[in-house]
Amino acid sequence: MSDTSIKHQSALTSGDFTAAENPFGLFAEWLAEATASEPNDPNAMALATVDPDGLPDVRMVLMKGYDADGFVFYSHIASQKGRELAANPKAALLFHWKSLRRQVRVRGTVAPVTEAEADAYFATRPKQAQIGAWASKQSQPLESRFAFEQAIAKVAARHLVGEVPRPPGWSGWRITPSRIEFWHDRPFRLHDRIEFSRDTPAHPWTKTRLYP
């Protein structure tokens, strides 16, 4: 006879994360576990924005930092996401760690990082990535891969020696969350979900348990 008990536990579904009181503390725990288990980019997240017509847009980006102020990523200011965030500085994020059967959803407002933050992160990137940031006109039409490779070669020739400065059109954004939801798979679609919400960053978090 098969076990159809909703109390069935496994290594992936045991434990009660819903007792957590701080969303960033719980996120740190889940990210650490994902870093140990995910084969590629545990810091990957789907970033959703809207265009001027209100049509949603989504793509994968890499989170490059987080703290109590929010989640940070970097890209070209003139990219599609950069233009959409400039026009409507609100966004949603989704982390999905398939091997752990977990998701984290984030919604909030968006603001550019400081120049100092952008400079500091850009300096940590591999030199080839720094050169690529100068050569790429992100989201713009590209006639051929060869044309891009030529642009990369020209930038590389200008920076054979020394540091590569951050391009003026390249920076980062911080999503300051008003809502963070943690979702954990459980047998028979009886998932665990908790949502932390607050009216403003100055307000304390309120926690609510949600139906699957």
Side-chain angles (χ1 to χ4, degrees):
M1 180 181 297
S2 63
D3 181 5
T4 58
S5 169
I6 65 171
K7 296 181 180 180
H8 174 68
Q9 299 276 305
S10 74
L12 294 177
T13 58
S14 60
D16 187 7
F17 71 92
T18 59
E21 295 297 333
N22 182 285
F24 287 105
L26 180 56
F27 180 81
E29 293 177 15
W30 280 23
L31 179 62
E33 292 182 41
T35 300
S37 67
E38 293 291 321
N40 294 301
D41 299 325
N43 59 327
M45 59 187 186
L47 168 69
T49 56
V50 294
D51 69 11
D53 296 323
L55 186 65
D57 221 348
V58 66
R59 77 287 287 164
M60 300 301 296
V61 299
L62 296 179
M63 179 191 69
K64 291 300 182 178
Y66 74 95
D67 54 26
D69 294 324
F71 302 85
V72 175
F73 73 96
Y74 294 87
S75 186
H76 288 262
I77 295 171
S79 65
Q80 190 166 359
K81 54 185 169 295
R83 297 194 305 271
E84 289 173 354
L85 289 172
N88 187 357
K90 298 177 182 178
L93 306 174
L94 172 65
F95 296 86
H96 178 216
W97 297 307
K98 187 174 182 179
S99 64
L100 294 175
R101 299 179 183 271
R102 289 173 175 170
Q103 297 182 70
V104 178
R105 298 173 61 205
V106 178
R107 302 176 74 201
T109 56
V110 181
V113 301
T114 65
E115 295 288 307
E117 286 178 292
D119 287 340
Y121 171 68
F122 190 78
T124 69
R125 299 186 64 167
K127 190 169 185 177
Q128 284 299 108
Q130 293 174 335
I131 290 170
W134 277 96
S136 175
K137 301 175 183 179
Q138 194 173 98
S139 301
Q140 301 304 310
L142 173 63
E143 56 270 33
S144 68
R145 182 72 186 185
F146 180 67
F148 185 35
E149 291 172 351
Q150 282 186 312
I152 292 172
K154 289 179 181 178
V155 175
R158 294 200 302 266
H159 298 285
L160 290 175
V161 179
E163 297 180 355
V164 180
R166 177 174 63 90
W170 189 98
S171 190
W173 294 264
R174 176 175 285 103
I175 294 90
T176 299
S178 57
R179 276 172 170 66
I180 306 179
E181 181 193 320
F182 295 84
W183 179 100
H184 196 324
D185 176 65
R186 288 185 67 85
F188 313 112
R189 308 285 181 183
L190 304 176
H191 312 308
D192 280 331
R193 295 173 64 189
I194 56 170
E195 181 186 71
F196 292 88
S197 61
R198 59 185 180 182
D199 293 332
T200 72
H203 284 78
W205 290 103
T206 298
K207 184 176 71 174
T208 304
R209 188 158 189 163
L210 305 174
Y211 275 100

